[in-house]
Amino acid sequence: MHFPRRRALRTLLSAATLAVGALCSATALAQAAWPGKPVRIVVPFAPGGTTDILARAVAPELSRAFGQQFIVDNRPGAGGNIGAEAVAKAAPDGYTLLMGTVGTHGINRALYGKLPYDPIKDFAPVTLVAAVPNVMEMNAEKARAMGIHNVQDFIRVAKERPGRLNMASSGNGTSIHLAGELFKSMTGIYMVHFPYRGSGPALLDLVGGNMDVMFDNLPSSMQQIKAGKLVALAVTSAQRSPALPDVPTVEEAGGPALKGFEASSWFGLLAPAGTAPEIVNRLQQELAKALKSPALKEKMQAQGAIPGGNTPQEFAALIDSEHRKWAKVVKTSGATVD
């Protein structure tokens, strides 16, 4: 009398197994077919800055590798928070990615009272794209007019004219902003901070003479430095940049007051949390391959960027360590969101 029930139970189990198998096969097929349409890389800053430059350098490489367009989508504002939030809330299907920065994923959680996204829980790290030093730079004509030839001159003039020098940045909470705040706190000078919606518009005003100084990411400023429109006083990294070997570090040029100064930047690709590991791994592998290619590697190094390509796990560990580092910098510098 129990046999029909057993047969019915076995039939139900077999049907369930087939359904689960079909679902898994459909999911695997969808992942294998990815990308079946264009992919967006959200840049959380305005065009013209290093984040934008790097995104536009790797997008064609990914387009060639996957046979679909990778399109750069600029979403500037709030120190990168607007663009980062858009990606955090996007569907985890591999069609929306973020070119994250040390600001969006290392600084902002310490600087802002409340973020509209969680830089750890809401993202799946793909790979580090590049690490770059920042460069302390001035409008060349203004520097000459003020008699500023080096970092020591700058500190002297700033102390003689408290509050009369202005400092441009790519936005509140960016490494460009924090590098300047750290410099101010360590030297005891005061400058008025003017946050922009990215390095591009900030550089336009710096070159145009409306701003005095900026601690920009090196790649976005390299062309203007080489053209003589901007003068590089120092780089913010612990070592000199191979792209500007004659320019000292802030620590070298600043004397005892700036001993230990270091405030470099990094940029990396991230996907929304929940994105299939297969998609994340394919992206990392192709991007790492592209970053090792002689043409792209040489192009990035000429701009002062050091190509990345690490694994998702290594990139996640870097993000975690950067949270701790920048929380200390924010506290020490006393930086606030203007």
Side-chain angles (χ1 to χ4, degrees):
M1 298 223 13
H2 297 293
F3 290 145
R5 290 182 182 178
R6 289 178 180 174
R7 281 197 295 272
L9 181 60
R10 282 198 296 270
T11 301
L12 285 172
L13 288 172
S14 297
T17 301
L18 287 171
V20 170
L23 180 61
C24 291
S25 297
T27 302
L29 185 62
Q31 291 170 1
W34 177 90
K37 60 181 181 180
V39 177
R40 284 191 309 144
I41 301 178
V42 173
V43 170
F45 297 99
T50 299
T51 319
D52 183 68
I53 290 170
L54 291 173
R56 293 181 190 280
V58 301
E61 303 292 334
L62 292 172
S63 296
R64 280 191 286 271
F66 289 103
Q68 281 287 351
Q69 275 194 307
F70 279 68
I71 302 167
V72 175
D73 180 9
N74 296 87
R75 297 283 189 93
N81 291 342
I82 291 174
E85 180 187 12
V87 176
K89 295 179 178 177
D93 54 10
Y95 290 101
T96 306
L97 307 172
L98 176 72
M99 183 60 77
T101 71
V102 64
T104 60
H105 283 73
I107 296 173
N108 287 3
R109 190 160 73 173
L111 191 66
Y112 288 81
K114 186 177 180 181
L115 284 182
Y117 63 92
D118 188 307
I120 300 293
K121 295 179 182 179
D122 291 343
F123 294 89
V126 176
T127 191
L128 176 73
V129 172
V132 305
N134 290 9
V135 56
M136 181 183 179
E137 61 193 9
M138 289 190 70
N139 176 286
E141 290 184 5
K142 279 197 166 188
R144 284 192 294 270
M146 294 180 190
I148 297 175
H149 306 287
N150 52 49
V151 173
Q152 293 283 5
D153 287 342
F154 184 89
I155 295 171
R156 173 181 52 78
V157 171
K159 288 184 175 180
E160 291 171 353
R161 308 178 188 185
R164 292 183 62 186
L165 293 179
N166 50 47
M167 177 182 80
S169 84
S170 55
N172 285 312
T174 61
S175 69
I176 296 169
H177 172 206
L178 262 290
E181 293 294 343
L182 184 60
F183 186 90
K184 287 163 61 177
S185 69
M186 292 179 73
T187 58
I189 66 171
Y190 175 66
M191 297 182 287
V192 180
H193 173 222
F194 287 84
Y196 288 74
R197 292 168 66 87
S199 283
L203 279 171
L204 284 175
D205 268 3
L206 185 66
V207 171
N210 296 318
M211 291 286 119
D212 297 316
V213 68
M214 187 172 173
F215 290 76
D216 191 31
N217 304 139
L218 183 53
S220 49
S221 283
M222 183 65 80
Q223 185 176 350
Q224 302 293 352
I225 292 170
K226 288 183 175 179
K229 295 179 180 179
L230 298 178
V231 57
L233 299 180
V235 291
T236 65
S237 48
Q239 291 84 34
R240 294 191 182 199
S241 169
L244 292 175
D246 296 329
V247 177
T249 66
V250 170
E251 181 178 20
E252 286 177 327
L258 289 163
K259 183 174 176 57
F261 186 101
E262 196 272 328
S264 297
S265 302
W266 54 260
F267 306 82
L269 199 66
L270 302 103
T275 301
E278 293 83 358
I279 292 176
V280 171
N281 290 331
R282 286 177 64 194
L283 277 166
Q284 186 274 331
Q285 289 163 9
E286 292 299 338
L287 196 47
K289 190 187 303 181
L291 291 169
K292 289 179 182 176
S293 67
L296 184 56
K297 189 175 180 180
E298 184 178 340
K299 179 180 179 181
M300 291 175 69
Q301 288 176 338
Q303 294 176 321
I306 302 170
N310 58 3
T311 67
Q313 294 76 21
E314 289 168 338
F315 188 27
L318 171 67
I319 292 171
D320 185 60
S321 68
E322 287 288 277
H323 275 301
R324 296 191 295 272
K325 168 188 169 181
W326 285 100
K328 292 179 181 177
V329 172
V330 170
K331 185 178 180 180
T332 300
S333 68
T336 58
V337 178
D338 299 329

